[in-house]
Coordinates of all heavy atoms in Angstrom, one line a residue:
M753 N 3.5 -14.1 -20.5 CA 2.1 -14.2 -20.1 C 1.6 -12.8 -19.9 O 2.2 -12.0 -19.2 CB 2.0 -15.1 -18.9 CG 0.5 -15.3 -18.6 SD 0.5 -16.7 -17.4 CE -0.6 -16.0 -16.2
K754 N 0.5 -12.5 -20.5 CA -0.1 -11.2 -20.5 C -0.9 -11.0 -19.1 O -1.5 -12.0 -18.6 CB -1.1 -11.0 -21.6 CG -1.7 -9.6 -21.7 CD -2.5 -9.4 -22.9 CE -3.1 -8.0 -22.8 NZ -4.1 -7.8 -23.8
L755 N -0.7 -9.8 -18.5 CA -1.3 -9.5 -17.3 C -2.9 -9.4 -17.5 O -3.3 -8.7 -18.3 CB -0.8 -8.2 -16.7 CG -1.4 -7.7 -15.4 CD1 -1.0 -8.6 -14.3 CD2 -1.0 -6.3 -15.1
D756 N -3.6 -10.1 -16.7 CA -5.1 -10.0 -16.6 C -5.4 -8.9 -15.6 O -5.3 -9.1 -14.4 CB -5.7 -11.3 -16.2 CG -7.2 -11.2 -16.2 OD1 -7.8 -10.2 -15.8 OD2 -7.9 -12.2 -16.6
K757 N -5.7 -7.7 -16.1 CA -5.9 -6.5 -15.3 C -7.0 -6.7 -14.3 O -7.0 -6.2 -13.2 CB -6.1 -5.3 -16.1 CG -4.8 -4.8 -16.8 CD -4.9 -3.5 -17.5 CE -3.6 -3.2 -18.2 NZ -3.8 -2.0 -19.0
I758 N -8.1 -7.4 -14.7 CA -9.2 -7.6 -13.7 C -8.8 -8.5 -12.6 O -9.0 -8.1 -11.4 CB -10.4 -8.1 -14.5 CG1 -11.0 -7.1 -15.5 CG2 -11.5 -8.6 -13.5 CD1 -12.0 -7.6 -16.4
E759 N -8.1 -9.6 -12.9 CA -7.6 -10.5 -11.8 C -6.6 -9.8 -10.9 O -6.6 -9.9 -9.7 CB -7.0 -11.7 -12.4 CG -8.0 -12.7 -12.9 CD -7.4 -14.0 -13.4 OE1 -6.3 -14.3 -12.9 OE2 -8.0 -14.7 -14.3
F760 N -5.7 -9.0 -11.6 CA -4.7 -8.3 -10.8 C -5.4 -7.2 -9.9 O -5.0 -7.1 -8.7 CB -3.7 -7.6 -11.8 CG -2.6 -6.9 -11.1 CD1 -1.6 -7.7 -10.5 CD2 -2.5 -5.5 -11.0 CE1 -0.5 -7.1 -9.9 CE2 -1.4 -4.9 -10.4 CZ -0.4 -5.7 -9.8
T761 N -6.4 -6.5 -10.4 CA -7.1 -5.5 -9.6 C -7.7 -6.2 -8.4 O -7.6 -5.7 -7.2 CB -8.2 -4.8 -10.4 OG1 -7.5 -4.1 -11.5 CG2 -9.0 -3.8 -9.6
H762 N -8.4 -7.3 -8.6 CA -9.0 -8.1 -7.5 C -8.0 -8.5 -6.5 O -8.2 -8.4 -5.2 CB -9.8 -9.3 -8.0 CG -11.1 -8.9 -8.6 ND1 -12.1 -8.2 -8.0 CD2 -11.5 -9.1 -9.9 CE1 -13.1 -8.0 -8.8 NE2 -12.7 -8.5 -10.0
A763 N -6.8 -9.0 -6.9 CA -5.8 -9.5 -6.1 C -5.2 -8.3 -5.2 O -5.0 -8.4 -4.0 CB -4.6 -10.1 -6.9
V764 N -5.0 -7.1 -5.9 CA -4.5 -6.0 -5.2 C -5.5 -5.6 -4.1 O -5.1 -5.4 -2.9 CB -4.3 -4.8 -6.2 CG1 -4.1 -3.5 -5.4 CG2 -3.1 -5.1 -7.0
K765 N -6.7 -5.5 -4.4 CA -7.7 -5.1 -3.4 C -7.8 -6.1 -2.2 O -7.9 -5.7 -1.0 CB -9.1 -5.0 -4.0 CG -9.2 -3.8 -4.9 CD -10.6 -3.7 -5.6 CE -10.7 -2.5 -6.5 NZ -12.0 -2.5 -7.1
D766 N -7.7 -7.4 -2.5 CA -7.7 -8.4 -1.5 C -6.5 -8.3 -0.6 O -6.6 -8.4 0.6 CB -7.7 -9.8 -2.1 CG -9.1 -10.2 -2.7 OD1 -10.1 -9.4 -2.5 OD2 -9.1 -11.1 -3.5
I767 N -5.3 -8.1 -1.2 CA -4.1 -8.0 -0.4 C -4.1 -6.8 0.5 O -3.8 -6.9 1.7 CB -2.8 -8.0 -1.3 CG1 -2.7 -9.3 -2.0 CG2 -1.6 -7.6 -0.6 CD1 -1.8 -9.3 -3.3
V768 N -4.5 -5.6 -0.1 CA -4.5 -4.4 0.7 C -5.5 -4.5 1.9 O -5.3 -4.0 3.0 CB -4.7 -3.2 -0.2 CG1 -4.9 -1.9 0.6 CG2 -3.5 -3.0 -1.2
S769 N -6.6 -5.2 1.6 CA -7.6 -5.4 2.6 C -7.1 -6.1 3.8 O -7.7 -6.0 4.9 CB -8.9 -6.1 2.0 OG -9.5 -5.2 1.1
E770 N -6.1 -6.9 3.6 CA -5.6 -7.8 4.7 C -4.5 -7.1 5.6 O -4.1 -7.6 6.6 CB -5.0 -9.1 4.1 CG -6.0 -10.0 3.5 CD -7.1 -10.5 4.5 OE1 -6.7 -10.8 5.6 OE2 -8.2 -10.5 4.1
I771 N -4.0 -5.9 5.1 CA -2.9 -5.3 5.9 C -3.5 -4.8 7.2 O -4.5 -4.0 7.2 CB -2.4 -4.0 5.1 CG1 -1.8 -4.4 3.7 CG2 -1.2 -3.4 5.9 CD1 -1.5 -3.3 2.8
P772 N -2.9 -5.3 8.3 CA -3.5 -4.9 9.6 C -3.2 -3.5 10.0 O -2.2 -2.9 9.5 CB -2.9 -5.9 10.6 CG -1.6 -6.3 9.9 CD -1.8 -6.2 8.4
P773 N -4.0 -2.9 10.9 CA -3.7 -1.5 11.4 C -2.3 -1.5 12.0 O -1.8 -2.5 12.6 CB -4.8 -1.3 12.5 CG -5.9 -2.2 12.1 CD -5.2 -3.4 11.5
G774 N -1.6 -0.4 11.8 CA -0.3 -0.2 12.3 C 0.8 -0.8 11.4 O 2.0 -0.9 11.8
K775 N 0.4 -1.4 10.3 CA 1.4 -2.0 9.4 C 1.2 -1.4 8.0 O 0.2 -0.8 7.6 CB 1.2 -3.5 9.3 CG 1.5 -4.2 10.6 CD 3.0 -4.1 10.9 CE 3.4 -4.9 12.2 NZ 4.8 -4.8 12.5
V776 N 2.3 -1.5 7.1 CA 2.2 -1.0 5.8 C 2.9 -2.0 4.8 O 3.6 -2.9 5.2 CB 3.0 0.4 5.6 CG1 2.3 1.5 6.5 CG2 4.5 0.2 5.9
L777 N 2.6 -1.8 3.6 CA 3.3 -2.5 2.5 C 3.6 -1.4 1.5 O 3.0 -0.4 1.4 CB 2.4 -3.6 1.8 CG 2.1 -4.9 2.5 CD1 1.2 -5.7 1.7 CD2 3.4 -5.6 2.8
T778 N 4.6 -1.7 0.6 CA 4.9 -0.8 -0.5 C 4.1 -1.2 -1.7 O 3.6 -2.4 -1.8 CB 6.4 -0.9 -0.8 OG1 6.8 -2.1 -1.4 CG2 7.3 -0.5 0.4
Y779 N 4.1 -0.4 -2.7 CA 3.4 -0.7 -3.9 C 4.0 -1.9 -4.6 O 3.3 -2.8 -5.1 CB 3.4 0.5 -4.9 CG 2.7 1.7 -4.4 CD1 3.4 2.8 -3.9 CD2 1.3 1.8 -4.4 CE1 2.8 3.9 -3.4 CE2 0.7 2.9 -3.9 CZ 1.4 4.0 -3.4 OH 0.8 5.1 -3.0
G780 N 5.3 -2.0 -4.5 CA 6.1 -3.1 -5.0 C 5.8 -4.4 -4.3 O 5.7 -5.5 -4.9
D781 N 5.6 -4.3 -2.9 CA 5.3 -5.5 -2.1 C 3.9 -6.0 -2.6 O 3.7 -7.2 -2.8 CB 5.1 -5.1 -0.7 CG 6.4 -4.8 0.0 OD1 7.5 -5.2 -0.4 OD2 6.4 -4.1 1.1
V782 N 3.0 -5.1 -2.8 CA 1.6 -5.5 -3.2 C 1.7 -6.2 -4.6 O 1.1 -7.2 -4.8 CB 0.6 -4.4 -3.1 CG1 -0.7 -4.8 -3.7 CG2 0.5 -3.8 -1.7
A783 N 2.4 -5.5 -5.5 CA 2.5 -6.1 -6.8 C 3.1 -7.5 -6.8 O 2.6 -8.4 -7.5 CB 3.4 -5.2 -7.7
A784 N 4.2 -7.7 -6.0 CA 4.8 -9.0 -5.9 C 3.9 -10.0 -5.3 O 3.8 -11.2 -5.8 CB 6.1 -8.9 -5.1
L785 N 3.1 -9.7 -4.3 CA 2.2 -10.6 -3.7 C 1.0 -10.9 -4.6 O 0.5 -12.0 -4.5 CB 1.6 -10.0 -2.4 CG 2.6 -9.9 -1.2 CD1 2.1 -9.1 -0.1 CD2 2.9 -11.3 -0.7
A786 N 0.7 -10.0 -5.5 CA -0.3 -10.2 -6.5 C 0.2 -11.0 -7.7 O -0.6 -11.3 -8.6 CB -0.9 -8.9 -6.9
G787 N 1.5 -11.3 -7.7 CA 2.1 -12.2 -8.8 C 2.7 -11.4 -9.9 O 3.1 -12.0 -10.9
S788 N 2.8 -10.1 -9.8 CA 3.3 -9.3 -10.9 C 4.3 -8.2 -10.3 O 3.9 -7.0 -10.3 CB 2.2 -8.6 -11.7 OG 1.5 -9.6 -12.4
P789 N 5.5 -8.6 -9.9 CA 6.3 -7.7 -9.2 C 6.7 -6.4 -10.0 O 7.1 -5.4 -9.4 CB 7.6 -8.5 -8.8 CG 7.5 -9.7 -9.6 CD 6.0 -9.9 -10.0
S790 N 6.6 -6.5 -11.3 CA 7.0 -5.3 -12.1 C 5.9 -4.3 -12.3 O 6.0 -3.4 -13.0 CB 7.6 -5.8 -13.4 OG 6.5 -6.4 -14.2
H791 N 4.8 -4.5 -11.6 CA 3.6 -3.7 -11.8 C 3.3 -2.8 -10.6 O 2.1 -2.5 -10.3 CB 2.4 -4.5 -12.2 CG 2.5 -5.0 -13.6 ND1 3.2 -6.1 -14.0 CD2 2.1 -4.4 -14.8 CE1 3.1 -6.3 -15.3 NE2 2.5 -5.3 -15.8
A792 N 4.3 -2.3 -9.9 CA 4.0 -1.4 -8.7 C 3.3 -0.2 -9.1 O 2.4 0.3 -8.4 CB 5.4 -1.0 -8.1
R793 N 3.6 0.4 -10.3 CA 2.8 1.6 -10.7 C 1.4 1.4 -10.9 O 0.5 2.2 -10.6 CB 3.5 2.3 -11.9 CG 4.8 2.9 -11.6 CD 5.3 3.6 -12.9 NE 6.6 4.1 -12.7 CZ 6.9 5.4 -12.8 NH1 6.0 6.2 -13.2 NH2 8.2 5.8 -12.6
L794 N 1.1 0.2 -11.4 CA -0.3 -0.2 -11.7 C -1.0 -0.3 -10.3 O -2.2 0.0 -10.2 CB -0.4 -1.5 -12.5 CG -1.8 -1.9 -12.8 CD1 -2.6 -0.8 -13.5 CD2 -1.7 -3.2 -13.7
V795 N -0.3 -0.8 -9.3 CA -0.9 -0.9 -8.0 C -1.3 0.5 -7.5 O -2.4 0.7 -7.0 CB 0.0 -1.6 -7.0 CG1 -0.5 -1.4 -5.5 CG2 0.3 -3.0 -7.3
G796 N -0.5 1.5 -7.7 CA -0.8 2.8 -7.3 C -2.0 3.4 -8.1 O -2.8 4.0 -7.5
K797 N -2.1 3.1 -9.3 CA -3.2 3.5 -10.1 C -4.5 2.9 -9.6 O -5.6 3.5 -9.5 CB -3.0 3.3 -11.6 CG -2.0 4.2 -12.2 CD -1.8 3.9 -13.7 CE -0.8 4.8 -14.3 NZ -0.7 4.7 -15.7
I798 N -4.5 1.6 -9.4 CA -5.6 0.9 -8.9 C -6.1 1.5 -7.5 O -7.3 1.8 -7.3 CB -5.3 -0.6 -8.7 CG1 -5.2 -1.2 -10.1 CG2 -6.4 -1.3 -7.9 CD1 -4.6 -2.6 -10.1
L799 N -5.1 1.7 -6.6 CA -5.5 2.2 -5.3 C -6.0 3.7 -5.4 O -6.9 4.1 -4.7 CB -4.3 2.1 -4.3 CG -3.9 0.7 -4.0 CD1 -2.7 0.7 -3.1 CD2 -5.0 -0.1 -3.5
G800 N -5.4 4.4 -6.3 CA -5.8 5.8 -6.5 C -7.2 5.9 -7.1 O -7.9 6.9 -6.9
S801 N -7.7 4.9 -7.7 CA -9.0 4.9 -8.3 C -10.1 4.4 -7.4 O -11.3 4.6 -7.7 CB -9.1 4.1 -9.6 OG -9.0 2.7 -9.3
I802 N -9.7 3.9 -6.2 CA -10.7 3.3 -5.3 C -11.5 4.4 -4.6 O -12.7 4.2 -4.4 CB -10.0 2.4 -4.3 CG1 -9.5 1.1 -5.0 CG2 -10.9 2.1 -3.1 CD1 -8.7 0.2 -4.1
G803 N -10.9 5.5 -4.2 CA -11.7 6.5 -3.5 C -11.4 6.5 -2.0 O -11.2 5.4 -1.4
M804 N -11.6 7.6 -1.4 CA -11.3 7.8 0.0 C -12.3 7.1 0.9 O -12.0 6.9 2.0 CB -11.3 9.3 0.3 CG -10.3 10.1 -0.5 SD -8.6 9.6 -0.3 CE -7.8 10.7 -1.4
D805 N -13.5 6.9 0.4 CA -14.6 6.3 1.3 C -14.6 4.8 1.3 O -15.5 4.2 1.9 CB -16.0 6.9 0.8 CG -16.1 8.4 1.0 OD1 -15.5 8.9 1.9 OD2 -16.8 9.0 0.2
S806 N -13.7 4.2 0.6 CA -13.6 2.7 0.5 C -13.2 2.1 1.9 O -12.5 2.7 2.7 CB -12.6 2.3 -0.5 OG -12.4 1.0 -0.5
V807 N -13.7 0.9 2.1 CA -13.3 0.2 3.3 C -11.9 -0.4 3.1 O -11.3 -1.0 4.1 CB -14.3 -0.9 3.6 CG1 -15.7 -0.3 4.0 CG2 -14.5 -1.9 2.5
I808 N -11.4 -0.4 1.9 CA -10.0 -0.9 1.6 C -9.0 0.1 2.2 O -9.1 1.3 1.8 CB -9.8 -1.2 0.1 CG1 -10.8 -2.2 -0.4 CG2 -8.4 -1.6 -0.1 CD1 -10.8 -2.4 -1.8
P809 N -8.1 -0.3 3.1 CA -7.2 0.6 3.7 C -6.0 1.0 2.9 O -4.9 0.7 3.1 CB -6.8 -0.2 5.0 CG -6.8 -1.6 4.6 CD -8.0 -1.7 3.6
C810 N -6.3 1.7 1.8 CA -5.3 2.2 0.9 C -4.2 3.0 1.5 O -3.0 3.0 1.0 CB -5.9 3.0 -0.3 SG -7.2 2.1 -1.2
H811 N -4.5 3.6 2.6 CA -3.5 4.5 3.3 C -2.3 3.6 3.9 O -1.3 4.2 4.2 CB -4.2 5.3 4.4 CG -4.7 4.5 5.6 ND1 -5.9 3.8 5.5 CD2 -4.2 4.2 6.8 CE1 -6.1 3.1 6.6 NE2 -5.0 3.4 7.4
R812 N -2.5 2.3 3.9 CA -1.4 1.5 4.4 C -0.4 1.0 3.4 O 0.4 0.2 3.6 CB -2.1 0.2 5.1 CG -2.9 0.6 6.3 CD -3.5 -0.6 7.0 NE -4.4 -0.1 8.1 CZ -5.5 -0.7 8.4 NH1 -5.9 -1.8 7.7 NH2 -6.3 -0.2 9.3
V813 N -0.5 1.7 2.2 CA 0.5 1.4 1.1 C 1.3 2.6 0.9 O 0.7 3.7 0.7 CB -0.2 0.9 -0.1 CG1 0.8 0.5 -1.2 CG2 -1.1 -0.3 0.2
V814 N 2.6 2.5 0.9 CA 3.5 3.6 0.8 C 4.5 3.3 -0.4 O 4.5 2.1 -0.8 CB 4.3 3.9 2.1 CG1 3.3 4.4 3.2 CG2 5.1 2.7 2.6
N815 N 5.3 4.2 -0.7 CA 6.3 4.0 -1.8 C 7.5 3.2 -1.3 O 7.6 2.9 -0.1 CB 6.7 5.2 -2.6 CG 7.7 6.1 -1.8 OD1 8.3 5.8 -0.8 ND2 7.8 7.3 -2.3
A816 N 8.4 2.8 -2.1 CA 9.5 2.0 -1.8 C 10.5 2.6 -0.7 O 11.2 1.9 0.0 CB 10.3 1.6 -3.0
Q817 N 10.4 3.9 -0.6 CA 11.2 4.6 0.5 C 10.4 4.8 1.7 O 11.0 5.4 2.7 CB 11.7 5.9 -0.1 CG 12.8 5.8 -1.2 CD 12.1 5.5 -2.5 OE1 11.1 6.0 -2.8 NE2 12.8 4.7 -3.3
G818 N 9.2 4.4 1.8 CA 8.3 4.5 2.9 C 7.6 5.8 3.0 O 7.0 6.2 4.0
R819 N 7.6 6.6 1.9 CA 6.9 7.9 1.9 C 5.4 7.7 1.5 O 5.1 7.0 0.6 CB 7.6 8.8 0.8 CG 8.9 9.3 1.3 CD 9.4 10.4 0.3 NE 10.6 10.9 0.8 CZ 11.8 10.6 0.3 NH1 11.9 9.8 -0.8 NH2 12.9 11.1 0.7
P820 N 4.6 8.4 2.2 CA 3.2 8.5 1.8 C 3.0 9.2 0.4 O 3.9 9.9 -0.1 CB 2.5 9.3 2.9 CG 3.5 9.3 4.0 CD 4.8 9.2 3.4
A821 N 1.9 9.0 -0.2 CA 1.6 9.6 -1.5 C 1.6 11.1 -1.4 O 1.0 11.7 -0.5 CB 0.2 9.2 -2.0
P822 N 2.4 11.8 -2.3 CA 2.5 13.2 -2.2 C 1.2 14.0 -2.4 O 1.1 15.1 -1.9 CB 3.5 13.6 -3.3 CG 3.5 12.4 -4.2 CD 3.1 11.2 -3.4
H823 N 0.3 13.5 -3.1 CA -1.0 14.2 -3.4 C -2.1 13.8 -2.4 O -3.2 14.3 -2.6 CB -1.4 13.8 -4.8 CG -1.6 12.3 -5.0 ND1 -0.6 11.5 -5.2 CD2 -2.7 11.6 -4.9 CE1 -1.0 10.2 -5.3 NE2 -2.3 10.3 -5.1
W824 N -1.8 13.1 -1.4 CA -2.8 12.6 -0.4 C -2.4 13.0 1.0 O -1.8 12.2 1.7 CB -3.1 11.2 -0.6 CG -4.2 10.6 0.2 CD1 -5.2 11.3 0.9 CD2 -4.4 9.2 0.5 NE1 -6.0 10.4 1.5 CE2 -5.6 9.1 1.3 CE3 -3.7 8.1 0.2 CZ2 -6.1 7.9 1.8 CZ3 -4.2 6.9 0.7 CH2 -5.4 6.8 1.5
D825 N -2.7 14.2 1.4 CA -2.3 14.7 2.7 C -2.8 13.9 3.9 O -2.1 13.8 4.9 CB -2.7 16.2 2.8 CG -1.9 17.1 1.8 OD1 -0.8 16.8 1.4 OD2 -2.5 18.2 1.5
A826 N -4.0 13.4 3.8 CA -4.7 12.7 4.9 C -4.0 11.3 5.1 O -4.2 10.8 6.2 CB -6.1 12.5 4.6
Q827 N -3.2 10.8 4.2 CA -2.6 9.5 4.4 C -1.7 9.5 5.6 O -1.8 8.5 6.4 CB -1.9 9.1 3.1 CG -1.3 7.7 3.3 CD -0.5 7.2 2.0 OE1 -0.1 8.0 1.2 NE2 -0.1 6.0 2.0
A828 N -0.9 10.4 5.7 CA 0.0 10.5 6.9 C -0.8 10.6 8.2 O -0.4 9.9 9.2 CB 1.0 11.7 6.8
D829 N -1.8 11.3 8.2 CA -2.7 11.4 9.4 C -3.3 10.1 9.8 O -3.4 9.7 10.9 CB -3.7 12.5 9.2 CG -3.2 13.9 9.1 OD1 -2.1 14.1 9.6 OD2 -3.8 14.8 8.5
L830 N -3.8 9.4 8.7 CA -4.4 8.1 9.0 C -3.4 7.1 9.5 O -3.7 6.3 10.4 CB -5.0 7.5 7.7 CG -6.2 8.3 7.2 CD1 -6.6 7.9 5.8 CD2 -7.4 8.0 8.1
L831 N -2.2 7.1 9.0 CA -1.1 6.2 9.5 C -0.7 6.6 10.9 O -0.6 5.7 11.8 CB 0.1 6.3 8.6 CG 0.0 5.8 7.2 CD1 1.2 6.1 6.3 CD2 -0.3 4.3 7.2
R832 N -0.6 7.9 11.2 CA -0.3 8.3 12.6 C -1.4 7.8 13.5 O -1.1 7.4 14.7 CB -0.1 9.8 12.6 CG 1.2 10.3 12.0 CD 1.4 11.8 12.3 NE 2.5 12.3 11.5 CZ 2.4 13.0 10.3 NH1 1.2 13.2 9.8 NH2 3.5 13.3 9.7
A833 N -2.6 7.9 13.1 CA -3.7 7.5 14.0 C -3.6 6.0 14.3 O -4.2 5.6 15.3 CB -5.1 7.8 13.3
E834 N -2.9 5.2 13.5 CA -2.7 3.8 13.8 C -1.4 3.5 14.6 O -1.1 2.4 14.7 CB -2.7 3.0 12.5 CG -4.1 3.1 11.8 CD -4.1 2.3 10.5 OE1 -3.1 1.6 10.2 OE2 -5.2 2.2 9.9
G835 N -0.8 4.6 15.0 CA 0.5 4.4 15.8 C 1.7 4.4 14.9 O 2.8 4.1 15.5
I836 N 1.6 4.6 13.6 CA 2.8 4.6 12.8 C 3.5 5.9 12.9 O 2.9 7.0 12.7 CB 2.5 4.2 11.3 CG1 1.9 2.8 11.3 CG2 3.6 4.4 10.4 CD1 1.4 2.4 9.9
I837 N 4.8 5.9 13.2 CA 5.6 7.1 13.3 C 6.2 7.4 11.9 O 6.8 6.6 11.2 CB 6.7 7.0 14.3 CG1 6.1 6.8 15.7 CG2 7.7 8.2 14.3 CD1 7.2 6.3 16.7
I838 N 5.9 8.7 11.5 CA 6.5 9.2 10.2 C 7.6 10.1 10.6 O 7.4 11.1 11.2 CB 5.4 9.8 9.3 CG1 4.3 8.8 9.0 CG2 6.0 10.4 8.1 CD1 3.2 9.3 8.2
G839 N 8.8 9.8 10.2 CA 10.0 10.5 10.6 C 10.1 11.9 9.9 O 9.3 12.3 9.1
S840 N 11.1 12.6 10.4 CA 11.3 14.0 9.9 C 11.6 14.0 8.4 O 11.4 15.0 7.7 CB 12.5 14.6 10.6 OG 13.7 13.9 10.4
S841 N 12.0 12.9 7.8 CA 12.2 12.8 6.3 C 10.9 12.4 5.6 O 11.0 12.1 4.4 CB 13.4 11.9 6.0 OG 13.0 10.6 6.5
N842 N 9.8 12.5 6.3 CA 8.5 12.1 5.8 C 8.5 10.7 5.3 O 7.9 10.3 4.2 CB 8.1 13.1 4.7 CG 6.6 13.0 4.4 OD1 5.8 12.8 5.3 ND2 6.2 13.1 3.1
R843 N 9.1 9.8 6.1 CA 9.1 8.4 5.7 C 8.7 7.5 6.9 O 9.0 7.8 8.1 CB 10.6 7.9 5.4 CG 11.1 8.5 4.2 CD 12.5 8.0 3.9 NE 13.1 8.7 2.8 CZ 14.2 8.4 2.2 NH1 14.9 7.4 2.7 NH2 14.7 9.1 1.2
V844 N 8.0 6.4 6.6 CA 7.7 5.4 7.5 C 8.9 4.5 7.6 O 9.5 4.1 6.5 CB 6.5 4.6 7.0 CG1 6.3 3.3 7.9 CG2 5.2 5.4 7.0
K845 N 9.3 4.1 8.7 CA 10.5 3.2 8.9 C 10.0 1.8 8.5 O 9.3 1.1 9.3 CB 11.1 3.2 10.3 CG 12.4 2.6 10.4 CD 13.0 2.9 11.7 CE 14.5 2.5 11.7 NZ 15.2 2.9 12.9
L846 N 10.3 1.3 7.3 CA 9.8 0.1 6.8 C 10.3 -1.1 7.6 O 9.6 -2.1 7.8 CB 10.2 -0.1 5.3 CG 9.5 0.9 4.4 CD1 10.0 0.7 3.0 CD2 8.0 0.7 4.4
S847 N 11.5 -1.0 8.2 CA 12.0 -2.1 9.0 C 11.1 -2.3 10.3 O 11.1 -3.4 10.8 CB 13.4 -1.9 9.4 OG 13.5 -0.7 10.2
L848 N 10.4 -1.3 10.7 CA 9.5 -1.4 11.9 C 8.1 -1.8 11.5 O 7.4 -2.5 12.2 CB 9.5 -0.1 12.7 CG 10.8 0.2 13.5 CD1 10.6 1.6 14.1 CD2 11.1 -0.9 14.5
Y849 N 7.6 -1.2 10.4 CA 6.2 -1.2 10.1 C 5.7 -2.1 8.9 O 4.5 -2.2 8.7 CB 5.6 0.2 10.0 CG 5.8 1.1 11.2 CD1 6.8 2.1 11.2 CD2 5.1 0.8 12.4 CE1 7.0 2.8 12.4 CE2 5.2 1.6 13.5 CZ 6.2 2.6 13.5 OH 6.4 3.4 14.6
R850 N 6.7 -2.6 8.2 CA 6.3 -3.4 7.0 C 5.7 -4.7 7.5 O 6.2 -5.4 8.3 CB 7.5 -3.7 6.2 CG 7.2 -4.5 4.9 CD 8.4 -4.8 4.1 NE 8.5 -3.9 3.0 CZ 9.6 -3.5 2.4 NH1 10.8 -3.8 2.9 NH2 9.5 -2.7 1.4
W851 N 4.5 -5.0 6.9 CA 3.8 -6.2 7.2 C 4.3 -7.4 6.5 O 4.6 -7.3 5.3 CB 2.3 -6.0 6.9 CG 1.4 -7.1 7.1 CD1 1.3 -7.8 8.3 CD2 0.5 -7.8 6.2 NE1 0.4 -8.9 8.1 CE2 -0.1 -8.8 6.9 CE3 0.2 -7.5 4.9 CZ2 -1.1 -9.6 6.2 CZ3 -0.7 -8.3 4.2 CH2 -1.3 -9.3 4.9
D852 N 4.5 -8.5 7.2 CA 4.9 -9.7 6.7 C 3.7 -10.6 6.6 O 3.3 -11.2 7.7 CB 6.1 -10.4 7.4 CG 6.6 -11.6 6.8 OD1 5.9 -12.2 5.9 OD2 7.6 -12.1 7.2
P853 N 3.0 -10.8 5.5 CA 1.8 -11.6 5.5 C 2.1 -13.1 5.8 O 1.1 -13.8 6.0 CB 1.3 -11.5 4.0 CG 2.5 -11.1 3.2 CD 3.4 -10.3 4.2
L854 N 3.3 -13.5 5.8 CA 3.6 -14.9 6.1 C 3.7 -15.2 7.6 O 3.8 -16.4 8.0 CB 4.9 -15.4 5.4 CG 4.9 -15.2 3.9 CD1 6.2 -15.6 3.3 CD2 3.8 -16.0 3.3
L855 N 3.7 -14.2 8.4 CA 3.7 -14.4 9.9 C 2.4 -14.5 10.5 O 1.4 -14.1 10.1 CB 4.5 -13.2 10.6 CG 5.9 -13.1 10.2 CD1 6.5 -11.9 11.0 CD2 6.7 -14.3 10.7

């Protein structure tokens, strides 16, 4: 089945909009929740195109190792402002901060 990019984009935005303060998801988590687990890179492209002034909390999405985006210095500051600790290895501890939308 071919991916409908418009539907996928809307799903990504809806999912990311629901991530509560102090929690994160990975790009892969968002892709899986949107129904296309193999499209984590597309999630990154979608979020990257949204812009910094959006009400969608894109800063709450990190890579599979818990690292903030390397080209977005403010992301780590936004996460810290929500109480998320970023360790010395520049990673969010996913076991502590990963959001479970089923809870």
Side-chain angles (χ1 to χ4, degrees):
M753 186 163 132
K754 186 175 179 188
L755 177 71
D756 183 321
K757 288 184 182 176
I758 293 172
E759 283 184 26
F760 186 72
T761 297
H762 287 297
V764 166
K765 290 178 180 181
D766 289 345
I767 291 161
V768 174
S769 293
E770 295 297 319
I771 305 170
K775 294 293 182 179
V776 298
L777 286 177
T778 67
Y779 297 104
D781 292 337
V782 175
L785 289 168
S788 296
S790 64
H791 286 86
R793 286 182 187 241
L794 183 55
V795 170
K797 288 182 182 190
I798 291 166
L799 296 180
S801 71
I802 289 176
M804 306 296 179
D805 296 329
S806 174
V807 297
I808 299 171
C810 300
H811 67 282
R812 296 182 187 141
V813 182
V814 296
N815 76 13
Q817 291 78 40
R819 289 191 176 104
H823 59 279
W824 186 16
D825 295 332
Q827 182 181 14
D829 293 334
L830 291 167
L831 292 171
R832 285 186 191 102
E834 293 183 1
I836 294 175
I837 297 169
I838 299 175
S840 59
S841 60
N842 197 36
R843 293 181 186 186
V844 171
K845 193 168 190 176
L846 293 174
S847 62
L848 289 178
Y849 299 108
R850 181 181 258 150
W851 178 52
D852 183 348
L854 301 177
L855 293 179

